[in-house]
Amino acid sequence: LALGRPASESPTRAGVGARSGPALAVDESSVSAWVSAQSETASISVSLGAFAYVTSVAIDWGPGGGQRYALDARVAGDAWLPVLERANRSPSPRSEHWLCRRGAP
């Protein structure tokens, strides 16, 4: 669903594009990756382009993947709503997958 969709990051880092920019998070390549800014509040947003029911989420972590992260969702200009939050994620496994139920992951 998110493959190849427009992605943006916050805070924005100038000049990273092809090396580690947010588009690399949705390119389906196992050898490329989005690398966030060194910030507690670094985030990536992916526009799905239209309303979609999301039934599962998969994250494939690269080396040094996030220790703490959250997954939020929103429709158009509505407020972001928390869907999932993880704290103290261990470095293994490198891949995580959730099936989502209405109202909760």
Side-chain angles (χ1 to χ4, degrees):
L1 187 61
L3 181 61
R5 299 298 308 168
S8 60
E9 66 182 351
S10 178
T12 303
R13 298 165 300 137
V16 297
R19 292 182 291 118
S20 62
L24 298 178
V26 291
D27 70 352
E28 200 177 25
S29 172
S30 63
V31 297
S32 64
W34 170 62
V35 179
S36 71
Q38 295 297 313
S39 168
E40 282 291 316
T41 59
S43 66
I44 185 169
S45 297
V46 179
S47 173
L48 300 181
F51 182 82
Y53 285 101
V54 176
T55 58
S56 66
V57 175
I59 297 176
D60 292 320
W61 295 100
Q67 296 295 311
R68 182 178 148 266
Y69 62 94
L71 174 66
D72 299 334
R74 74 176 180 167
V75 176
D78 292 349
W80 287 97
L81 299 173
V83 175
L84 174 75
E85 187 166 337
R86 288 274 196 267
N88 302 316
R89 184 188 79 83
S90 69
S92 181
R94 284 190 51 194
S95 179
E96 296 183 81
H97 185 96
W98 303 272
L99 294 177
C100 300
R101 297 177 304 280
R102 175 169 266 168

